[in-house]
Amino acid sequence: GCLDGANIPWDESERGQGPAETAIRTGTTQVQQNVLTDPRLIQWRIEAIKQGYVSCVAIPLKDDRGTWGALSLYASEPDAFDAGELKWLEQLAAAMSYAIVALRARHEQGRIEREFRRLQLAMDLSIDSIYLTDVEDMRFVYVNDLACSRLGYSRDKLLQMGPQDVLGWDREQIRREYDKVIAAGEQGVIIERRYVSSDTTEGWAEIQCRALF
């Protein structure tokens, strides 16, 4: 194709003034009805003649963060893209953008799930009890095998509970402690606190708390 091996900048340099580059930089559709006569595209004329195209259009591909690419089409005759065709092509570009963004999101979700599974495995191999807590609703979102064993609860049961159910503090006390943990950053906070297991057995534990951002 005409862009094979091309080094296409998106900046304001001379090489960045082509239709695709301008579409990406400005986020607007760029139409060149005759590359051979447009003085702004002198440096593209030789390639256009070689590739056999005369007119072209570049339509930005966008997501909610802005423009990330462009759909470029070429025709061998001048004035090939009328208003009706441009409208249809812009609809096509919007559909392509949506599909590509959805595929990227699915791929990213799959990567996150794989990373979390690896994290779960590492936590289950730990010699310490580990509890991941959602500070908004004060519920455990993950507990490792050792935590379940020490407290005598199944994982499903613990995931219906929160730190207030284990430590004997009310939610406000827990929230104040979590505020200290968040303020401490990566250093974290160490708390010594009594806990209660499923059979009402009490014990003392040194709890190292760290916020995940």
Side-chain angles (χ1 to χ4, degrees), residues 9 22 41-42 57 88 111 129 137 163 188:
T22 305
L41 301 175
I42 292 176
V57 60
W88 180 84
R111 185 191 66 79
S129 299
D137 62 9

Side-chain angles (χ1 to χ4, degrees), residues 122-157:
M123 289 190 293
D124 283 337
L125 293 175
S126 173
I127 61 173
D128 295 311
S129 299
I130 297 177
Y131 306 83
L132 299 183
T133 308
D134 185 331
V135 297
E136 294 299 324
D137 62 9
M138 291 296 175
R139 287 289 181 269
F140 298 129
V141 295
Y142 187 77
V143 291
N144 69 347
D145 289 342
L146 189 57
C148 298
S149 176
R150 284 183 174 171
L151 292 180
Y153 291 105
S154 68
R155 179 173 280 116
D156 287 343
K157 179 62 177 178

